[in-house]
Amino acid sequence: MASHGDNVAVTIGLAHGFVKQRGYDAAMRVAGRTLELRGETEAAQDALLFSDEELQVKASVIVVAATETAVERAVREGKFLTHAALYSHPDMAVEKTFFLETFGCQMNVHDSEKVIGTLQQQGYSQVDTEEAADLILYNTCSIRDKAEQKVFNRLNDTKKLLKQGKRFGVLGCVAQQEGEAIFERAPYVSLVSGSASYRKLPEMLARLEAGERRIAGLDDRQTDETFETEFTARSNPYRGYITIIEGCDKFCAYCVVPYTRGKERSRTSTSVLAEARRMAESGYSEVQLLGQNVNSYRDPEGKRSFAELLAAVAEIPGIRRVRFTTSHPRDFTQDIVEAIDSVPALCNHVHLPVQSGSTTTLKRMQREYTREQYLERIGWIKGSRRPISVTTDIIVGFPGETVAEFEETLSLLESVQYDAVFAFKYSPRPNTPALVMIDAIPDDEKGKRLQVLLDRQREWQRANYTKRIGQVVEVAVEGHNTQRGQVNGRTSENITLNFVPSGPILPAPGSFALVEVTQSFPNSLVGRAV
Ligand code: 5AD
Ligand code: SF4
C-alpha cells in the first residue's frame, strides 16, 4: 500500500489543465528528478502491475495519468492515494490561484466576497492579474445590456490565456440568464454558475479540478436556499455588507433580476444578528444590510420585522452605523422611519427607487404604486424628527413614455429634493414583460431625456448641498489624500466629505471625526475638523 512517507504514489489521472501541471510539478519537486508523463492507459496498466513491495522500492513518486476506471480500480485496490490525499500531503501542496473581477451592484460585490472566502477555504489564493491565475472568474451583471456586453468583451480579451492551461468561469447574473448557452458562445468557459448555486461551489470546483470541461450551476428561481458562509473575505476592515434577503418576487416589467437571482428568500434574524455580532467583535463599525428589496424581509423564524431587525443590528455594541439597501416603495412602512428616529446608529439615509414620477408609466412598469403613494412615503421620511437624506433610481425612456410623463418625473425630482439620483436609459432585457411592449423610444431621445434630467438634478443638488455649509456632522474616516492634506470620509447621509484635520496627526481610517462643513459641490462636501 502506498504510504504518506518518503515513498509516495500519486495519481493525478483525473486532473487536467492547471491542476495536472501543478500536480506534476509538485511531484517532481518531491521526487527530486524529472518524471516522464506516460500515456494514460499504459501508465495505469504499468502501475497496477506493481505489488505493494515494489511500490515501496521502485516508486519514489509515480505519476499516473490514468483513465477514470483505472484510477478507481487502483484506489479500490489500495494502490494509490486519491486526489484528496495528494493535496493533503504536505510535500505535495499544490498552489492553486484565482483571479476574480466583479461587475455590477453591491449584491455582486458582496457575493464576490463570499466566493473569494469559499475559494480560499478550498486552498486557492487570490492573485491580482489574469496572467498570474490558474482560474479566471468574472462575476457578472445583466441589469442593462451594456453591463452584459462587458463580460463577453472581457472574455474575448483574455481567451488567449486558455493555451496556458487556465480555466474560465462566468458567475452571477449573466451566467444565470444565459445558462449553458455561454458554453456555445465562449467554448473555452468551463464553469457557469448563477448566484443561487454558489453554495455548491466547493463541489463544482472539485469537478473543475478533476478535469470536467462544462460545469453548470443553474438553480432555477424556485430555490429556497440562501448562500451563507462563515468564510466571507471582506475587503474593508471597518465597513461590511450582510445579506439579509436574496432574490426578488416583484417582477417589474423592465427588470431581469427576478430571473437571475431567483425567488425572494430571507435569512433568519438570528443568523443575521450572529453575523453582525461577529463583525462587531472583529472591529467593524459600519454594517450595510443588503437585499434586492430589503424591506420585503420576512424573518423565517417570525421573530422580527424588518424595522425590528434594523434596530437590533444597530444596538449591537461596537456598531456605529447601519445602512440598508435597496428599499421598495410598496413595502416601505412607517415603522422604518420610526426606527431611524429612535435608534441613533441607524443612518439618516433611505435609498427609495421611484423609477418614474408618472403614475401611468409606473403602471406600465408594474411597480404597483402611484406617484401619490410614493410621495406619501417621502412625506413620512421628511416628517421624521431628524433629517433623513433620500436618494433614488430613475429609468428614462421606458416604452411608451411620453414627454408629459417624463416631465412628471422631473417635477417629482424637484419636489422631493434628492441628495443623489442614479438615472439610466431604459435597456430591453431578455425574458422581461417590457421586451414585447411597442413604442420604444429612440436611443438618442432617451439620451436627451437623461441629460436634461441629470442637468436639472445637478442644480437642485447643488442648492441642497449648499444648505449644509456651517453644519457640524460626524464623519466616518475612510482614507487620506496626503497630496491635498485632506482626510476622506462619509457622513451618515452617505455623502462624501473631505476635510482638513485639526492637528498634525491624521485620524485613522475606521475612526470618527466631528467636522464643520465649509464648502459644497454637487456631489460632495468639504470641511474642517472641529
Ligand atoms: N433598463 C434600465 N435600467 C434598469 N434598471 C433595472 N432594470 C433596468 C433596465 N432594464 C435600473 C433601475 C434599478 C437599478 C438598479 O437599475 O433603476 O433600480
Ligand atoms: Fe428589479 Fe423591480 Fe425586483 Fe427591483 S423590485 S430587483 S427593479 S424586479
Side-chain angles (χ1 to χ4, degrees):
M1 165 108 199
S3 79
H4 277 260
D6 289 339
N7 298 323
V8 185
V10 176
T11 139
I12 57 169
L14 292 182
H16 291 273
F18 71 85
V19 175
K20 182 166 171 179
Q21 189 56 47
R22 290 292 177 93
Y24 181 61
D25 293 348
M28 286 206 297
R29 272 204 314 278
V30 178
R33 65 189 166 88
T34 306
L35 297 161
E36 202 185 329
L37 260 186
R38 286 177 291 169
E40 301 213 335
T41 324
E42 185 197 342
Q45 292 302 336
D46 254 17
L48 287 171
L49 294 176
F50 290 139
S51 67
D52 290 354
E53 293 71 34
E54 281 173 324
L55 261 182
Q56 296 290 327
V57 179
K58 283 192 179 173
S60 62
V61 172
I62 297 174
V63 178
V64 183
T67 57
E68 186 157 3
T69 346
V71 171
E72 272 172 10
R73 229 171 84 205
V75 171
R76 206 171 43 241
E77 293 176 11
K79 285 213 164 106
F80 296 99
L81 304 183
T82 60
H83 299 297
L86 163 68
Y87 299 127
S88 62
H89 189 284
D91 291 333
M92 297 295 291
V94 177
E95 207 211 5
K96 302 177 284 182
T97 54
F98 73 98
F99 167 87
L100 172 62
E101 182 174 354
T102 307
F103 301 87
C105 65
Q106 290 149 313
M107 295 287 279
N108 262 15
V109 171
H110 185 46
D111 279 350
S112 285
E113 294 180 332
K114 296 195 230 179
V115 168
I116 292 169
T118 307
L119 278 153
Q120 288 169 341
Q121 186 60 22
Q122 298 298 309
Y124 283 76
S125 353
Q126 190 176 15
V127 291
D128 295 338
T129 61
E130 278 119 325
E131 284 74 17
D134 299 313
L135 176 60
I136 297 168
L137 298 171
Y138 297 116
N139 188 4
T140 61
C141 168
S142 67
I143 193 94
R144 284 169 290 275
D145 188 54
K146 252 196 197 151
E148 184 180 331
Q149 290 317 317
K150 270 191 203 158
V151 65
F152 289 106
N153 294 340
R154 189 69 95 250
L155 279 168
N156 224 8
D157 292 345
T158 47
K159 70 175 179 208
K160 54 182 184 289
L161 298 174
L162 185 72
K163 288 200 195 79
Q164 300 168 17
K166 297 179 191 300
R167 291 279 168 269
F168 290 85
V170 178
L171 309 178
C173 293
V174 177
Q176 186 66 41
Q177 179 188 296
E178 298 297 312
E180 301 199 19
I182 293 181
F183 294 134
E184 307 305 321
R185 189 162 167 188
Y188 41 91
V189 169
S190 310
L191 171 69
V192 168
S193 173
S195 62
S197 302
Y198 290 164
R199 68 206 136 74
K200 295 187 195 148
L201 267 178
E203 174 211 317
M204 292 194 281
L205 289 168
R207 287 167 56 198
L208 191 71
E209 288 169 16
E212 251 186 80
R213 286 308 179 95
R214 291 188 163 188
I215 302 160
L218 298 166
D219 276 3
D220 61 13
R221 48 170 283 111
Q222 294 320 322
T223 183
D224 283 323
E225 308 247 7
T226 53
F227 177 37
E228 293 188 34
T229 168
E230 39 183 315
F231 303 118
T232 307
R234 290 193 166 84
S235 54
N236 182 310
Y238 316 107
R239 196 159 35 98
Y241 296 121
I242 300 182
T243 311
I244 65 164
I245 176 169
E246 291 179 32
C248 178
D249 285 345
K250 293 284 189 289
F251 291 97
C252 301
Y254 50 80
C255 188
V256 83
V257 168
Y259 312 94
T260 59
R261 286 192 166 270
K263 78 171 181 194
E264 218 163 75
R265 53 216 190 267
S266 299
R267 280 174 67 184
T268 63
S269 63
T270 311
S271 110
V272 171
L273 285 167
E275 186 169 358
R277 271 188 218 107
R278 279 199 304 275
M279 286 173 71
E281 281 157 17
S282 48
Y284 283 86
S285 53
E286 183 170 326
V287 161
Q288 182 154 353
L289 303 181
L290 285 184
Q292 224 65 50
N293 291 305
V294 267
N295 53 335
S296 312
Y297 178 81
R298 292 281 168 280
D299 187 353
E301 294 173 340
K303 284 189 186 161
R304 292 176 182 87
S305 67
F306 172 64
E308 286 164 350
L309 177 63
L310 278 181
V313 174
E315 275 156 7
I316 294 173
I319 300 289
R320 298 268 300 256
R321 286 186 174 180
V322 177
R323 306 186 182 283
F324 52 96
T325 198
T326 289
S327 299
H328 193 288
R330 205 182 79 184
D331 296 333
F332 193 88
T333 44
Q334 226 164 343
D335 57 352
I336 300 172
V337 181
E338 282 156 20
I340 297 178
D341 252 342
S342 49
V343 185
L346 289 178
C347 287
N348 12 355
H349 174 214
V350 173
H351 183 62
L352 198 62
V354 64
Q355 313 297 0
S356 166
S358 147
T359 296
T360 46
T361 308
L362 287 170
K363 194 164 171 58
R364 284 199 308 282
M365 287 180 166
Q366 292 164 214
R367 288 289 286 177
E368 299 189 28
Y369 55 83
T370 61
R371 175 188 173 104
E372 289 66 36
Q373 283 165 334
Y374 181 86
L375 287 173
E376 182 188 25
R377 278 138 187 83
I378 294 293
W380 299 338
I381 298 171
K382 302 258 171 186
S384 63
R385 288 191 293 281
R386 61 168 146 143
I388 298 175
S389 165
V390 197
T391 55
T392 201
D393 292 345
I394 300 282
I395 297 177
V396 299
F398 186 76
E401 184 189 65
T402 63
V403 171
E405 285 170 355
F406 171 63
E407 279 168 1
E408 284 188 81
T409 299
L410 294 179
S411 81
L412 182 122
L413 295 193
E414 185 172 15
S415 69
V416 176
Q417 298 287 305
Y418 293 103
D419 277 331
V421 170
F422 304 90
F424 313 97
K425 291 193 281 186
Y426 167 70
S427 165
R429 301 282 64 214
N431 305 320
T432 59
L435 196 61
V436 295
M437 289 184 188
I438 43 164
D439 200 13
I441 316 283
D443 190 64
D444 62 339
E445 176 61 23
K446 285 183 200 164
K448 278 186 206 148
R449 291 185 193 180
L450 182 66
Q451 203 48 53
V452 168
L453 187 149
L454 293 175
D455 289 346
R456 299 265 192 100
Q457 175 59 25
R458 195 178 161 82
E459 290 319 308
W460 292 320
Q461 232 169 273
R462 190 191 298 281
N464 270 338
Y465 281 37
T466 306
K467 288 184 204 145
R468 294 191 159 93
I469 294 177
Q471 288 178 3
V472 173
V473 294
E474 188 190 61
V475 177
V477 175
E478 292 187 342
H480 305 136
N481 182 335
T482 29
Q483 261 176 351
R484 289 197 194 162
Q486 266 183 347
V487 181
N488 313 123
R490 242 163 230 284
T491 68
S492 169
E493 290 85 358
N494 212 21
I495 297 173
T496 299
L497 199 164
N498 302 320
F499 64 95
V500 186
S502 52
I505 298 169
L506 298 178
S511 66
F512 290 83
L514 279 182
V515 177
E516 181 186 341
V517 180
T518 54
Q519 215 185 334
S520 74
F521 296 98
N523 283 308
S524 66
L525 299 169
V526 171
R528 75 172 156 256
V530 294

